[in-house]
Each structure stands twice: as structure tokens, then as C-alpha cells.
Amino acid sequence: RFKKTDGTTVAAEVNRNSGMGYFLVDASVASSLEFSIDNIPSGDYTQIEFMIGVDSAANVNGAQGGDLDPANAMFWDWNTGYIMAKMEGISPQSTAVGNSLVYHVGGFKLPYNNLRTTTVNLTEPITVRKNIAPEIHLFVDVAEWFKTPNTISIATLNNSMSASSTGVIADNYADMFKCDHVHNDPE
């Protein structure tokens, strides 16, 4: 959603690889770090709001295509549902074999609904017009996975792949997005 300066909101009509409107952002795939959202009505907008994860409708429909294709390794076959966010790597703080860390955050059913919606205030309003297609540059602080509101120690929690144990991580990463700057240049 995009929030206008007058307080009204506009739902984005997103279509990238999947008619469902999901974007898979993979830090190791440069082409996934940039995407376009078309058909936003002319106006001036001060906030964006988006969901991190895959809603219940898409989850109960099973594996999809495009960015929701199970080949993207974001689908739990054993738990019938999508992974909302994933972090894998190595950390010297990890006590796991090879200092690995694995976090797969999933779950869309209560009491373990790990879908999160985040609102990002823009550094200045974006101006959408026929001849102006603004760009929003977001800063993503991955360290937020481990702090506020829940302090997570990699030494004690270095592997989490259960909907019941990943909610504290989802609560944390919901605020990892900040607007760095915007461009309102004419096309």
C-alpha cells in the first residue's frame, strides 16, 4: 500500500513473475534487489506498507509459480506452507557445527502466524505522475533479526525452523526496513 499526503491509501497492483503480487528478494541475487510496481495512481505519497511473508490464501493453495515457485527454496514441503523469511550463513558466535546459522521463519496459522506488515516512512514524498516514475531506495538492517523487541543470541539460538519458535525473529525483522532516499526524476 502507498499512503498519500492526504492520509488515504492506495493498494498496489503488483505483478512480477506471479499474478499473486509477491516479490522474492534474495540478497545473493542482484536482479531480485530491484523491482517496479506499475499502475500507481498519480499523487504524492509519504509511506509504503508491505507484508513480509505469504498470506494464508496463497499458503492454502499449495505451491505456486513465479517468485512463489518451490524451486526457490522458500516452501516447507513437510509443513505445507511458505517460508516468510530466511537467513542462512556462518557466524563465529554460533556454537553449531561449522559455526552455521539457519533461520527459516514460517507459519501462517494461529497461534504461530509469522506474517508481519511493516510501514516505512519516506524521507520525502514521492511524486507519481505520467512523466515521473519515482524510485524508493530502502536500507535493510539485517542486524534487526537479533534485536528489538527480542534479544536473540546466535550462541544460544543458531537454528530455528519451526513456526512455533520463529515468531520472536519475525517480531524483530519487521522493522528492519528504512527509507534511505527517494528520486522524483522525470522519465
PDB file of all heavy atoms in Angstrom, residues 41-82:
ATOM      1  N   PRO A  41      -1.712   5.232  -9.000  1.00  0.00           N
ATOM      2  CA  PRO A  41      -2.365   6.468  -9.425  1.00  0.00           C
ATOM      3  C   PRO A  41      -1.507   7.700  -9.127  1.00  0.00           C
ATOM      4  O   PRO A  41      -0.742   7.725  -8.156  1.00  0.00           O
ATOM      5  CB  PRO A  41      -3.644   6.504  -8.580  1.00  0.00           C
ATOM      6  CG  PRO A  41      -3.854   5.103  -8.117  1.00  0.00           C
ATOM      7  CD  PRO A  41      -2.494   4.486  -8.023  1.00  0.00           C
ATOM      8  N   SER A  42      -1.648   8.708  -9.967  1.00  0.00           N
ATOM      9  CA  SER A  42      -0.932   9.969  -9.733  1.00  0.00           C
ATOM     10  C   SER A  42      -1.235  10.457  -8.328  1.00  0.00           C
ATOM     11  O   SER A  42      -2.360  10.347  -7.836  1.00  0.00           O
ATOM     12  CB  SER A  42      -1.363  11.025 -10.749  1.00  0.00           C
ATOM     13  OG  SER A  42      -0.885  10.696 -12.027  1.00  0.00           O
ATOM     14  N   GLY A  43      -0.208  10.999  -7.687  1.00  0.00           N
ATOM     15  CA  GLY A  43      -0.375  11.515  -6.337  1.00  0.00           C
ATOM     16  C   GLY A  43       0.963  11.689  -5.664  1.00  0.00           C
ATOM     17  O   GLY A  43       2.019  11.374  -6.225  1.00  0.00           O
ATOM     18  N   ASP A  44       0.917  12.189  -4.450  1.00  0.00           N
ATOM     19  CA  ASP A  44       2.101  12.358  -3.624  1.00  0.00           C
ATOM     20  C   ASP A  44       1.950  11.426  -2.424  1.00  0.00           C
ATOM     21  O   ASP A  44       0.930  11.460  -1.730  1.00  0.00           O
ATOM     22  CB  ASP A  44       2.233  13.813  -3.158  1.00  0.00           C
ATOM     23  CG  ASP A  44       2.390  14.766  -4.335  1.00  0.00           C
ATOM     24  OD1 ASP A  44       3.081  14.398  -5.300  1.00  0.00           O
ATOM     25  OD2 ASP A  44       1.824  15.879  -4.292  1.00  0.00           O
ATOM     26  N   TYR A  45       2.979  10.615  -2.180  1.00  0.00           N
ATOM     27  CA  TYR A  45       2.905   9.551  -1.189  1.00  0.00           C
ATOM     28  C   TYR A  45       4.023   9.701  -0.160  1.00  0.00           C
ATOM     29  O   TYR A  45       5.153  10.013  -0.506  1.00  0.00           O
ATOM     30  CB  TYR A  45       3.010   8.184  -1.866  1.00  0.00           C
ATOM     31  CG  TYR A  45       1.895   7.933  -2.861  1.00  0.00           C
ATOM     32  CD1 TYR A  45       2.004   8.330  -4.186  1.00  0.00           C
ATOM     33  CD2 TYR A  45       0.728   7.307  -2.455  1.00  0.00           C
ATOM     34  CE1 TYR A  45       0.979   8.102  -5.094  1.00  0.00           C
ATOM     35  CE2 TYR A  45      -0.304   7.066  -3.346  1.00  0.00           C
ATOM     36  CZ  TYR A  45      -0.172   7.469  -4.674  1.00  0.00           C
ATOM     37  OH  TYR A  45      -1.196   7.248  -5.560  1.00  0.00           O
ATOM     38  N   THR A  46       3.683   9.451   1.114  1.00  0.00           N
ATOM     39  CA  THR A  46       4.640   9.647   2.206  1.00  0.00           C
ATOM     40  C   THR A  46       5.063   8.352   2.895  1.00  0.00           C
ATOM     41  O   THR A  46       6.021   8.353   3.654  1.00  0.00           O
ATOM     42  CB  THR A  46       4.048  10.575   3.284  1.00  0.00           C
ATOM     43  OG1 THR A  46       2.842   9.978   3.788  1.00  0.00           O
ATOM     44  CG2 THR A  46       3.759  11.956   2.733  1.00  0.00           C
ATOM     45  N   GLN A  47       4.338   7.252   2.654  1.00  0.00           N
ATOM     46  CA  GLN A  47       4.639   5.977   3.305  1.00  0.00           C
ATOM     47  C   GLN A  47       4.371   4.829   2.350  1.00  0.00           C
ATOM     48  O   GLN A  47       3.512   4.933   1.465  1.00  0.00           O
ATOM     49  CB  GLN A  47       3.749   5.731   4.532  1.00  0.00           C
ATOM     50  CG  GLN A  47       4.025   6.548   5.730  1.00  0.00           C
ATOM     51  CD  GLN A  47       3.070   6.175   6.871  1.00  0.00           C
ATOM     52  OE1 GLN A  47       1.977   5.662   6.672  1.00  0.00           O
ATOM     53  NE2 GLN A  47       3.507   6.444   8.088  1.00  0.00           N
ATOM     54  N   ILE A  48       5.091   3.730   2.588  1.00  0.00           N
ATOM     55  CA  ILE A  48       4.755   2.473   1.934  1.00  0.00           C
ATOM     56  C   ILE A  48       4.534   1.438   3.024  1.00  0.00           C
ATOM     57  O   ILE A  48       5.122   1.521   4.104  1.00  0.00           O
ATOM     58  CB  ILE A  48       5.836   2.005   0.941  1.00  0.00           C
ATOM     59  CG1 ILE A  48       7.202   1.861   1.619  1.00  0.00           C
ATOM     60  CG2 ILE A  48       5.925   2.939  -0.251  1.00  0.00           C
ATOM     61  CD1 ILE A  48       8.280   1.256   0.739  1.00  0.00           C
ATOM     62  N   GLU A  49       3.653   0.515   2.750  1.00  0.00           N
ATOM     63  CA  GLU A  49       3.363  -0.561   3.694  1.00  0.00           C
ATOM     64  C   GLU A  49       3.357  -1.859   2.912  1.00  0.00           C
ATOM     65  O   GLU A  49       2.819  -1.926   1.812  1.00  0.00           O
ATOM     66  CB  GLU A  49       1.993  -0.325   4.331  1.00  0.00           C
ATOM     67  CG  GLU A  49       1.593  -1.407   5.319  1.00  0.00           C
ATOM     68  CD  GLU A  49       0.203  -1.174   5.875  1.00  0.00           C
ATOM     69  OE1 GLU A  49      -0.765  -1.662   5.250  1.00  0.00           O
ATOM     70  OE2 GLU A  49       0.096  -0.515   6.908  1.00  0.00           O
ATOM     71  N   PHE A  50       4.018  -2.871   3.464  1.00  0.00           N
ATOM     72  CA  PHE A  50       4.033  -4.160   2.795  1.00  0.00           C
ATOM     73  C   PHE A  50       4.112  -5.279   3.811  1.00  0.00           C
ATOM     74  O   PHE A  50       4.515  -5.084   4.957  1.00  0.00           O
ATOM     75  CB  PHE A  50       5.176  -4.264   1.778  1.00  0.00           C
ATOM     76  CG  PHE A  50       6.539  -3.950   2.333  1.00  0.00           C
ATOM     77  CD1 PHE A  50       7.340  -4.946   2.858  1.00  0.00           C
ATOM     78  CD2 PHE A  50       7.019  -2.650   2.316  1.00  0.00           C
ATOM     79  CE1 PHE A  50       8.597  -4.658   3.362  1.00  0.00           C
ATOM     80  CE2 PHE A  50       8.275  -2.341   2.814  1.00  0.00           C
ATOM     81  CZ  PHE A  50       9.062  -3.351   3.338  1.00  0.00           C
ATOM     82  N   MET A  51       3.709  -6.452   3.345  1.00  0.00           N
ATOM     83  CA  MET A  51       3.712  -7.643   4.178  1.00  0.00           C
ATOM     84  C   MET A  51       5.001  -8.414   3.917  1.00  0.00           C
ATOM     85  O   MET A  51       5.444  -8.530   2.773  1.00  0.00           O
ATOM     86  CB  MET A  51       2.507  -8.509   3.836  1.00  0.00           C
ATOM     87  CG  MET A  51       2.409  -9.784   4.623  1.00  0.00           C
ATOM     88  SD  MET A  51       0.968 -10.766   4.139  1.00  0.00           S
ATOM     89  CE  MET A  51       1.286 -11.063   2.419  1.00  0.00           C
ATOM     90  N   ILE A  52       5.594  -8.923   4.981  1.00  0.00           N
ATOM     91  CA  ILE A  52       6.739  -9.814   4.869  1.00  0.00           C
ATOM     92  C   ILE A  52       6.191 -11.218   5.050  1.00  0.00           C
ATOM     93  O   ILE A  52       5.736 -11.574   6.131  1.00  0.00           O
ATOM     94  CB  ILE A  52       7.803  -9.506   5.945  1.00  0.00           C
ATOM     95  CG1 ILE A  52       8.238  -8.045   5.861  1.00  0.00           C
ATOM     96  CG2 ILE A  52       8.988 -10.451   5.804  1.00  0.00           C
ATOM     97  CD1 ILE A  52       9.044  -7.581   7.054  1.00  0.00           C
ATOM     98  N   GLY A  53       6.198 -11.976   3.982  1.00  0.00           N
ATOM     99  CA  GLY A  53       5.676 -13.323   4.040  1.00  0.00           C
ATOM    100  C   GLY A  53       4.632 -13.574   2.981  1.00  0.00           C
ATOM    101  O   GLY A  53       4.435 -12.778   2.068  1.00  0.00           O
ATOM    102  N   VAL A  54       3.959 -14.690   3.123  1.00  0.00           N
ATOM    103  CA  VAL A  54       2.967 -15.145   2.156  1.00  0.00           C
ATOM    104  C   VAL A  54       1.667 -15.371   2.906  1.00  0.00           C
ATOM    105  O   VAL A  54       1.620 -16.140   3.867  1.00  0.00           O
ATOM    106  CB  VAL A  54       3.443 -16.440   1.455  1.00  0.00           C
ATOM    107  CG1 VAL A  54       2.407 -16.933   0.466  1.00  0.00           C
ATOM    108  CG2 VAL A  54       4.786 -16.207   0.767  1.00  0.00           C
ATOM    109  N   ASP A  55       0.618 -14.690   2.483  1.00  0.00           N
ATOM    110  CA  ASP A  55      -0.640 -14.742   3.233  1.00  0.00           C
ATOM    111  C   ASP A  55      -1.295 -16.123   3.198  1.00  0.00           C
ATOM    112  O   ASP A  55      -0.882 -17.007   2.457  1.00  0.00           O
ATOM    113  CB  ASP A  55      -1.604 -13.648   2.765  1.00  0.00           C
ATOM    114  CG  ASP A  55      -2.149 -13.873   1.365  1.00  0.00           C
ATOM    115  OD1 ASP A  55      -2.027 -14.985   0.813  1.00  0.00           O
ATOM    116  OD2 ASP A  55      -2.717 -12.917   0.807  1.00  0.00           O
ATOM    117  N   SER A  56      -2.316 -16.284   4.011  1.00  0.00           N
ATOM    118  CA  SER A  56      -2.948 -17.598   4.175  1.00  0.00           C
ATOM    119  C   SER A  56      -3.576 -18.091   2.878  1.00  0.00           C
ATOM    120  O   SER A  56      -3.537 -19.286   2.586  1.00  0.00           O
ATOM    121  CB  SER A  56      -3.989 -17.556   5.291  1.00  0.00           C
ATOM    122  OG  SER A  56      -4.993 -16.609   4.995  1.00  0.00           O
ATOM    123  N   ALA A  57      -4.137 -17.188   2.061  1.00  0.00           N
ATOM    124  CA  ALA A  57      -4.768 -17.616   0.807  1.00  0.00           C
ATOM    125  C   ALA A  57      -3.760 -18.319  -0.097  1.00  0.00           C
ATOM    126  O   ALA A  57      -4.048 -19.374  -0.663  1.00  0.00           O
ATOM    127  CB  ALA A  57      -5.396 -16.428   0.094  1.00  0.00           C
ATOM    128  N   ALA A  58      -2.576 -17.741  -0.247  1.00  0.00           N
ATOM    129  CA  ALA A  58      -1.551 -18.367  -1.085  1.00  0.00           C
ATOM    130  C   ALA A  58      -1.021 -19.645  -0.434  1.00  0.00           C
ATOM    131  O   ALA A  58      -0.717 -20.617  -1.123  1.00  0.00           O
ATOM    132  CB  ALA A  58      -0.414 -17.397  -1.348  1.00  0.00           C
ATOM    133  N   ASN A  59      -0.922 -19.654   0.882  1.00  0.00           N
ATOM    134  CA  ASN A  59      -0.426 -20.835   1.576  1.00  0.00           C
ATOM    135  C   ASN A  59      -1.363 -22.027   1.424  1.00  0.00           C
ATOM    136  O   ASN A  59      -0.907 -23.147   1.211  1.00  0.00           O
ATOM    137  CB  ASN A  59      -0.197 -20.534   3.061  1.00  0.00           C
ATOM    138  CG  ASN A  59       1.224 -20.130   3.340  1.00  0.00           C
ATOM    139  OD1 ASN A  59       2.118 -20.945   3.296  1.00  0.00           O
ATOM    140  ND2 ASN A  59       1.437 -18.854   3.624  1.00  0.00           N
ATOM    141  N   VAL A  60      -2.655 -21.818   1.532  1.00  0.00           N
ATOM    142  CA  VAL A  60      -3.580 -22.950   1.456  1.00  0.00           C
ATOM    143  C   VAL A  60      -3.784 -23.427   0.025  1.00  0.00           C
ATOM    144  O   VAL A  60      -4.318 -24.511  -0.195  1.00  0.00           O
ATOM    145  CB  VAL A  60      -4.950 -22.642   2.123  1.00  0.00           C
ATOM    146  CG1 VAL A  60      -4.769 -22.363   3.601  1.00  0.00           C
ATOM    147  CG2 VAL A  60      -5.677 -21.514   1.422  1.00  0.00           C
ATOM    148  N   ASN A  61      -3.341 -22.647  -0.949  1.00  0.00           N
ATOM    149  CA  ASN A  61      -3.433 -23.069  -2.349  1.00  0.00           C
ATOM    150  C   ASN A  61      -2.235 -23.907  -2.775  1.00  0.00           C
ATOM    151  O   ASN A  61      -2.111 -24.260  -3.937  1.00  0.00           O
ATOM    152  CB  ASN A  61      -3.583 -21.847  -3.270  1.00  0.00           C
ATOM    153  CG  ASN A  61      -4.974 -21.278  -3.201  1.00  0.00           C
ATOM    154  OD1 ASN A  61      -5.945 -22.009  -3.044  1.00  0.00           O
ATOM    155  ND2 ASN A  61      -5.079 -19.968  -3.310  1.00  0.00           N
ATOM    156  N   GLY A  62      -1.349 -24.208  -1.844  1.00  0.00           N
ATOM    157  CA  GLY A  62      -0.195 -25.045  -2.156  1.00  0.00           C
ATOM    158  C   GLY A  62       0.864 -24.294  -2.930  1.00  0.00           C
ATOM    159  O   GLY A  62       0.822 -23.079  -3.059  1.00  0.00           O
ATOM    160  N   ALA A  63       1.800 -25.046  -3.462  1.00  0.00           N
ATOM    161  CA  ALA A  63       2.927 -24.462  -4.183  1.00  0.00           C
ATOM    162  C   ALA A  63       2.443 -23.727  -5.423  1.00  0.00           C
ATOM    163  O   ALA A  63       1.575 -24.200  -6.138  1.00  0.00           O
ATOM    164  CB  ALA A  63       3.919 -25.550  -4.548  1.00  0.00           C
ATOM    165  N   GLN A  64       3.009 -22.558  -5.653  1.00  0.00           N
ATOM    166  CA  GLN A  64       2.646 -21.704  -6.780  1.00  0.00           C
ATOM    167  C   GLN A  64       3.816 -21.633  -7.764  1.00  0.00           C
ATOM    168  O   GLN A  64       4.826 -22.297  -7.590  1.00  0.00           O
ATOM    169  CB  GLN A  64       2.336 -20.295  -6.269  1.00  0.00           C
ATOM    170  CG  GLN A  64       1.515 -20.212  -5.018  1.00  0.00           C
ATOM    171  CD  GLN A  64       0.031 -20.238  -5.261  1.00  0.00           C
ATOM    172  OE1 GLN A  64      -0.444 -19.657  -6.214  1.00  0.00           O
ATOM    173  NE2 GLN A  64      -0.710 -20.902  -4.404  1.00  0.00           N
ATOM    174  N   GLY A  65       3.711 -20.720  -8.720  1.00  0.00           N
ATOM    175  CA  GLY A  65       4.785 -20.486  -9.683  1.00  0.00           C
ATOM    176  C   GLY A  65       5.432 -19.141  -9.445  1.00  0.00           C
ATOM    177  O   GLY A  65       5.166 -18.462  -8.457  1.00  0.00           O
ATOM    178  N   GLY A  66       6.290 -18.736 -10.367  1.00  0.00           N
ATOM    179  CA  GLY A  66       6.960 -17.446 -10.289  1.00  0.00           C
ATOM    180  C   GLY A  66       7.815 -17.325  -9.044  1.00  0.00           C
ATOM    181  O   GLY A  66       8.531 -18.250  -8.676  1.00  0.00           O
ATOM    182  N   ASP A  67       7.741 -16.193  -8.380  1.00  0.00           N
ATOM    183  CA  ASP A  67       8.535 -15.986  -7.168  1.00  0.00           C
ATOM    184  C   ASP A  67       8.118 -16.926  -6.042  1.00  0.00           C
ATOM    185  O   ASP A  67       8.859 -17.099  -5.082  1.00  0.00           O
ATOM    186  CB  ASP A  67       8.445 -14.523  -6.703  1.00  0.00           C
ATOM    187  CG  ASP A  67       9.333 -13.600  -7.524  1.00  0.00           C
ATOM    188  OD1 ASP A  67      10.010 -14.079  -8.452  1.00  0.00           O
ATOM    189  OD2 ASP A  67       9.357 -12.392  -7.237  1.00  0.00           O
ATOM    190  N   LEU A  68       6.936 -17.537  -6.153  1.00  0.00           N
ATOM    191  CA  LEU A  68       6.477 -18.490  -5.142  1.00  0.00           C
ATOM    192  C   LEU A  68       6.761 -19.946  -5.533  1.00  0.00           C
ATOM    193  O   LEU A  68       6.321 -20.872  -4.848  1.00  0.00           O
ATOM    194  CB  LEU A  68       4.982 -18.310  -4.879  1.00  0.00           C
ATOM    195  CG  LEU A  68       4.555 -16.960  -4.300  1.00  0.00           C
ATOM    196  CD1 LEU A  68       3.049 -16.925  -4.067  1.00  0.00           C
ATOM    197  CD2 LEU A  68       5.290 -16.658  -3.001  1.00  0.00           C
ATOM    198  N   ASP A  69       7.502 -20.145  -6.587  1.00  0.00           N
ATOM    199  CA  ASP A  69       7.849 -21.489  -7.037  1.00  0.00           C
ATOM    200  C   ASP A  69       8.697 -22.197  -5.969  1.00  0.00           C
ATOM    201  O   ASP A  69       9.672 -21.629  -5.480  1.00  0.00           O
ATOM    202  CB  ASP A  69       8.639 -21.396  -8.341  1.00  0.00           C
ATOM    203  CG  ASP A  69       8.838 -22.750  -9.009  1.00  0.00           C
ATOM    204  OD1 ASP A  69       9.124 -23.737  -8.304  1.00  0.00           O
ATOM    205  OD2 ASP A  69       8.730 -22.800 -10.247  1.00  0.00           O
ATOM    206  N   PRO A  70       8.348 -23.421  -5.593  1.00  0.00           N
ATOM    207  CA  PRO A  70       9.147 -24.153  -4.602  1.00  0.00           C
ATOM    208  C   PRO A  70      10.619 -24.315  -4.994  1.00  0.00           C
ATOM    209  O   PRO A  70      11.470 -24.508  -4.134  1.00  0.00           O
ATOM    210  CB  PRO A  70       8.456 -25.516  -4.508  1.00  0.00           C
ATOM    211  CG  PRO A  70       7.053 -25.247  -4.924  1.00  0.00           C
ATOM    212  CD  PRO A  70       7.144 -24.167  -5.967  1.00  0.00           C
ATOM    213  N   ALA A  71      10.918 -24.203  -6.274  1.00  0.00           N
ATOM    214  CA  ALA A  71      12.318 -24.291  -6.710  1.00  0.00           C
ATOM    215  C   ALA A  71      13.166 -23.171  -6.113  1.00  0.00           C
ATOM    216  O   ALA A  71      14.389 -23.275  -6.059  1.00  0.00           O
ATOM    217  CB  ALA A  71      12.396 -24.244  -8.236  1.00  0.00           C
ATOM    218  N   ASN A  72      12.520 -22.121  -5.614  1.00  0.00           N
ATOM    219  CA  ASN A  72      13.229 -21.014  -4.971  1.00  0.00           C
ATOM    220  C   ASN A  72      13.581 -21.315  -3.519  1.00  0.00           C
ATOM    221  O   ASN A  72      14.100 -20.451  -2.813  1.00  0.00           O
ATOM    222  CB  ASN A  72      12.397 -19.728  -5.047  1.00  0.00           C
ATOM    223  CG  ASN A  72      12.266 -19.231  -6.460  1.00  0.00           C
ATOM    224  OD1 ASN A  72      13.212 -19.251  -7.230  1.00  0.00           O
ATOM    225  ND2 ASN A  72      11.069 -18.777  -6.818  1.00  0.00           N
ATOM    226  N   ALA A  73      13.280 -22.513  -3.064  1.00  0.00           N
ATOM    227  CA  ALA A  73      13.630 -22.994  -1.719  1.00  0.00           C
ATOM    228  C   ALA A  73      13.001 -22.155  -0.604  1.00  0.00           C
ATOM    229  O   ALA A  73      13.607 -21.935   0.434  1.00  0.00           O
ATOM    230  CB  ALA A  73      15.147 -23.076  -1.548  1.00  0.00           C
ATOM    231  N   MET A  74      11.773 -21.709  -0.832  1.00  0.00           N
ATOM    232  CA  MET A  74      11.054 -20.940   0.185  1.00  0.00           C
ATOM    233  C   MET A  74       9.728 -21.619   0.537  1.00  0.00           C
ATOM    234  O   MET A  74       8.788 -20.961   0.964  1.00  0.00           O
ATOM    235  CB  MET A  74      10.814 -19.506  -0.302  1.00  0.00           C
ATOM    236  CG  MET A  74      12.074 -18.681  -0.473  1.00  0.00           C
ATOM    237  SD  MET A  74      12.987 -18.395   1.054  1.00  0.00           S
ATOM    238  CE  MET A  74      11.907 -17.244   1.909  1.00  0.00           C
ATOM    239  N   PHE A  75       9.646 -22.918   0.361  1.00  0.00           N
ATOM    240  CA  PHE A  75       8.424 -23.663   0.634  1.00  0.00           C
ATOM    241  C   PHE A  75       8.762 -24.857   1.506  1.00  0.00           C
ATOM    242  O   PHE A  75       9.688 -25.611   1.199  1.00  0.00           O
ATOM    243  CB  PHE A  75       7.794 -24.137  -0.685  1.00  0.00           C
ATOM    244  CG  PHE A  75       6.410 -24.709  -0.537  1.00  0.00           C
ATOM    245  CD1 PHE A  75       5.318 -23.879  -0.332  1.00  0.00           C
ATOM    246  CD2 PHE A  75       6.197 -26.071  -0.620  1.00  0.00           C
ATOM    247  CE1 PHE A  75       4.036 -24.408  -0.202  1.00  0.00           C
ATOM    248  CE2 PHE A  75       4.921 -26.597  -0.494  1.00  0.00           C
ATOM    249  CZ  PHE A  75       3.843 -25.766  -0.283  1.00  0.00           C
ATOM    250  N   TRP A  76       8.025 -25.008   2.614  1.00  0.00           N
ATOM    251  CA  TRP A  76       8.207 -26.146   3.506  1.00  0.00           C
ATOM    252  C   TRP A  76       7.326 -27.297   3.023  1.00  0.00           C
ATOM    253  O   TRP A  76       6.124 -27.321   3.290  1.00  0.00           O
ATOM    254  CB  TRP A  76       7.781 -25.786   4.927  1.00  0.00           C
ATOM    255  CG  TRP A  76       8.781 -25.065   5.761  1.00  0.00           C
ATOM    256  CD1 TRP A  76      10.124 -25.028   5.597  1.00  0.00           C
ATOM    257  CD2 TRP A  76       8.499 -24.299   6.932  1.00  0.00           C
ATOM    258  NE1 TRP A  76      10.703 -24.281   6.583  1.00  0.00           N
ATOM    259  CE2 TRP A  76       9.729 -23.819   7.414  1.00  0.00           C
ATOM    260  CE3 TRP A  76       7.336 -23.972   7.620  1.00  0.00           C
ATOM    261  CZ2 TRP A  76       9.823 -23.027   8.554  1.00  0.00           C
ATOM    262  CZ3 TRP A  76       7.429 -23.187   8.737  1.00  0.00           C
ATOM    263  CH2 TRP A  76       8.667 -22.724   9.208  1.00  0.00           C
ATOM    264  N   ASP A  77       7.895 -28.230   2.328  1.00  0.00           N
ATOM    265  CA  ASP A  77       7.111 -29.390   1.881  1.00  0.00           C
ATOM    266  C   ASP A  77       6.560 -30.168   3.059  1.00  0.00           C
ATOM    267  O   ASP A  77       5.443 -30.648   3.040  1.00  0.00           O
ATOM    268  CB  ASP A  77       7.978 -30.332   1.026  1.00  0.00           C
ATOM    269  CG  ASP A  77       8.266 -29.743  -0.345  1.00  0.00           C
ATOM    270  OD1 ASP A  77       7.434 -28.977  -0.853  1.00  0.00           O
ATOM    271  OD2 ASP A  77       9.332 -30.051  -0.891  1.00  0.00           O
ATOM    272  N   TRP A  78       7.352 -30.293   4.109  1.00  0.00           N
ATOM    273  CA  TRP A  78       6.964 -31.093   5.263  1.00  0.00           C
ATOM    274  C   TRP A  78       5.912 -30.410   6.121  1.00  0.00           C
ATOM    275  O   TRP A  78       5.284 -31.024   6.947  1.00  0.00           O
ATOM    276  CB  TRP A  78       8.193 -31.403   6.114  1.00  0.00           C
ATOM    277  CG  TRP A  78       8.958 -30.170   6.521  1.00  0.00           C
ATOM    278  CD1 TRP A  78       9.978 -29.577   5.839  1.00  0.00           C
ATOM    279  CD2 TRP A  78       8.744 -29.355   7.663  1.00  0.00           C
ATOM    280  NE1 TRP A  78      10.415 -28.453   6.490  1.00  0.00           N
ATOM    281  CE2 TRP A  78       9.670 -28.290   7.621  1.00  0.00           C
ATOM    282  CE3 TRP A  78       7.852 -29.403   8.743  1.00  0.00           C
ATOM    283  CZ2 TRP A  78       9.742 -27.299   8.600  1.00  0.00           C
ATOM    284  CZ3 TRP A  78       7.926 -28.423   9.710  1.00  0.00           C
ATOM    285  CH2 TRP A  78       8.871 -27.392   9.627  1.00  0.00           C
ATOM    286  N   ASN A  79       5.718 -29.108   5.952  1.00  0.00           N
ATOM    287  CA  ASN A  79       4.774 -28.378   6.792  1.00  0.00           C
ATOM    288  C   ASN A  79       3.718 -27.667   5.960  1.00  0.00           C
ATOM    289  O   ASN A  79       2.955 -26.878   6.470  1.00  0.00           O
ATOM    290  CB  ASN A  79       5.531 -27.373   7.667  1.00  0.00           C
ATOM    291  CG  ASN A  79       4.719 -26.920   8.847  1.00  0.00           C
ATOM    292  OD1 ASN A  79       3.784 -27.591   9.263  1.00  0.00           O
ATOM    293  ND2 ASN A  79       5.061 -25.769   9.385  1.00  0.00           N
ATOM    294  N   THR A  80       3.691 -27.926   4.668  1.00  0.00           N
ATOM    295  CA  THR A  80       2.741 -27.336   3.745  1.00  0.00           C
ATOM    296  C   THR A  80       2.583 -25.839   3.979  1.00  0.00           C
ATOM    297  O   THR A  80       1.572 -25.375   4.474  1.00  0.00           O
ATOM    298  CB  THR A  80       1.367 -28.037   3.821  1.00  0.00           C
ATOM    299  OG1 THR A  80       1.565 -29.436   3.850  1.00  0.00           O
ATOM    300  CG2 THR A  80       0.524 -27.675   2.635  1.00  0.00           C
ATOM    301  N   GLY A  81       3.567 -25.114   3.608  1.00  0.00           N
ATOM    302  CA  GLY A  81       3.478 -23.667   3.707  1.00  0.00           C
ATOM    303  C   GLY A  81       4.775 -23.000   3.299  1.00  0.00           C
ATOM    304  O   GLY A  81       5.811 -23.650   3.156  1.00  0.00           O
ATOM    305  N   TYR A  82       4.663 -21.715   3.097  1.00  0.00           N
ATOM    306  CA  TYR A  82       5.813 -20.937   2.663  1.00  0.00           C
ATOM    307  C   TYR A  82       6.663 -20.452   3.828  1.00  0.00           C
ATOM    308  O   TYR A  82       6.160 -20.215   4.929  1.00  0.00           O
ATOM    309  CB  TYR A  82       5.353 -19.734   1.840  1.00  0.00           C
ATOM    310  CG  TYR A  82       4.961 -20.121   0.443  1.00  0.00           C
ATOM    311  CD1 TYR A  82       3.643 -20.427   0.135  1.00  0.00           C
ATOM    312  CD2 TYR A  82       5.921 -20.218  -0.545  1.00  0.00           C
ATOM    313  CE1 TYR A  82       3.289 -20.813  -1.144  1.00  0.00           C
ATOM    314  CE2 TYR A  82       5.581 -20.611  -1.828  1.00  0.00           C
ATOM    315  CZ  TYR A  82       4.269 -20.903  -2.121  1.00  0.00           C
ATOM    316  OH  TYR A  82       3.923 -21.300  -3.385  1.00  0.00           O
TER     317      TYR A  82
END
